[in-house]
Amino acid sequence: MRYITLLLIVFLSITSCKSTKNVTSSTAIKELSARKVAKKHSSANFDKETVDARLKVNYKDNRENVGFSVRMKIKKDEVIWLKGSKMITVFKAKITPTRVQFYSPYKKNFFDGDFSMLKELLGTDINFQQLQNMLLGEALVDVKSERQEVAIHENSYQLSPKNQSELFDLFFYINPLHFKLNKQSVINPLKNQRLDISYPKYSKKNSTLFPEKINIQAKENNKFTIIDIHTRSVEYNTKLNVDFTIPNGYKEIQL
């Protein structure tokens, strides 16, 4: 199950071309309304049809520390395809708006079902759109769909819903230069759970901004997960092969 957990958090990664010029956020912050910050963030959303990226992922938790390579393909609003390798193929996965499929040639097991697997592992309901938003450096929710509060915090515009959910609190830290995310956080104080997704470095390719690096930290009581992701290469709007077939003879994963 460790490889499945890693697979799911890899979905949070965002890609960029490391050979392009870096973008910094060393700009003075002027006061803006929450509505205007939300509108500018939405206007900065990803507008390409596909992503084809090669990532380097380092994963650490209470029990293991491992690094491997990930090939990631995205057809926007349709499919997220992943392949993880460490000398050999460790896992393959395909996610659509209605289905989650995964298999591991290393473990000889598979999963084929709905998003209940993600809820089981992430501890909250999540759908395809939310996964895709995280993957593309966009807020988990549509920040224009409900009233937000704004504050200036650590060189960012901090947006948060005026009426937070009873189950968890959401915070979005918007870069004042290009209005992509610097960080987003999901906090459940009752269960002592916290997920922080940071985007410390951005690059530009074909007039499109993506984080060059992404850092993920998940905590629950005494358990922790830390994931560092760096993109080796990325292409947009290319023809993608996202074929996926679970081999015969593998054992089904029971949640």
Side-chain angles (χ1 to χ4, degrees):
M1 293 295 290
R2 289 290 161 184
Y3 286 111
I4 302 175
T5 305
L6 175 56
L7 162 68
L8 293 174
I9 302 180
V10 167
F11 297 162
L12 307 181
S13 66
I14 299 178
T15 60
S16 67
C17 180
K18 60 185 178 181
S19 64
T20 56
K21 184 178 179 181
N22 293 332
V23 178
T24 64
S25 58
S26 57
T27 184
I29 300 182
K30 64 179 181 179
E31 291 188 7
L32 294 176
S33 67
R35 182 178 179 181
K36 190 162 188 177
V37 174
K39 183 178 180 179
K40 283 180 172 289
H41 175 64
S42 296
S43 296
N45 284 351
F46 183 78
D47 62 356
K48 307 300 182 183
E49 294 181 0
T50 70
V51 174
D52 187 356
R54 297 179 185 274
L55 313 173
K56 177 64 177 177
V57 179
N58 291 305
Y59 173 91
K60 182 179 181 181
D61 65 12
N62 299 74
R63 295 190 291 181
E64 63 182 336
N65 188 346
V66 64
F68 57 90
S69 300
V70 174
R71 178 77 177 274
M72 180 175 67
K73 303 177 185 179
I74 302 172
K75 289 185 177 182
K76 192 176 181 184
D77 300 328
E78 294 181 25
V79 63
I80 300 167
W81 183 100
L82 297 164
K83 176 182 177 181
S85 304
K86 188 176 176 66
M87 302 298 290
I88 63 171
T89 298
V90 176
F91 68 79
K92 288 186 178 181
K94 183 177 181 179
I95 302 172
T96 68
T98 60
R99 194 174 186 184
V100 177
Q101 294 176 287
F102 162 91
Y103 73 87
S104 171
Y106 175 73
K107 294 285 188 177
K108 302 295 183 184
N109 58 13
F110 76 94
F111 177 88
D112 188 352
D114 59 21
F115 279 77
S116 61
M117 183 176 81
L118 302 190
K119 180 179 179 180
E120 178 75 15
L121 292 174
L122 298 179
T124 185
D125 286 305
I126 193 164
N127 58 38
F128 179 89
Q129 187 64 50
Q130 290 168 328
L131 283 174
Q132 181 174 260
N133 286 358
M134 289 188 290
L135 187 64
L136 299 176
E138 299 167 8
L140 283 169
V141 299
D142 181 359
V143 292
K144 295 196 302 180
S145 66
E146 57 182 293
R147 294 185 65 185
Q148 303 283 328
E149 294 183 329
V150 66
I152 295 176
H153 180 76
E154 295 181 354
N155 205 33
S156 302
Y157 292 110
Q158 177 189 281
L159 287 183
S160 56
K162 192 172 183 65
N163 297 311
Q164 291 276 20
S165 166
E166 294 181 359
L167 299 177
F168 51 82
D169 295 332
L170 293 172
F171 297 94
F172 308 105
Y173 301 86
I174 311 298
N175 189 293
L177 180 62
H178 47 65
F179 290 90
K180 298 288 288 183
L181 286 175
N182 281 339
K183 183 173 76 170
Q184 55 183 330
S185 300
V186 182
I187 303 170
N188 185 331
L190 295 178
K191 294 185 177 181
N192 198 22
Q193 296 173 331
R194 184 183 181 107
L195 174 65
D196 293 299
I197 309 163
S198 302
Y199 312 89
K201 191 174 183 180
Y202 279 80
S203 294
K204 181 182 287 188
K205 182 183 174 80
N206 298 338
S207 301
T208 300
L209 287 175
F210 285 89
E212 183 174 318
K213 296 181 179 180
I214 186 164
N215 306 126
I216 300 164
Q217 295 190 18
K219 297 180 181 179
E220 181 178 4
N221 296 320
N222 295 325
K223 299 179 182 179
F224 73 92
T225 300
I226 299 174
I227 300 170
D228 296 318
I229 300 165
H230 187 84
T231 299
R232 291 174 168 172
S233 66
V234 64
E235 299 293 337
Y236 311 125
N237 292 344
T238 58
K239 186 176 181 179
L240 300 181
N241 181 350
V242 291
D243 290 344
F244 185 92
T245 303
I246 297 173
N248 294 327
Y250 280 29
K251 182 178 179 179
E252 185 172 7
I253 295 169
Q254 301 295 333
L255 296 181

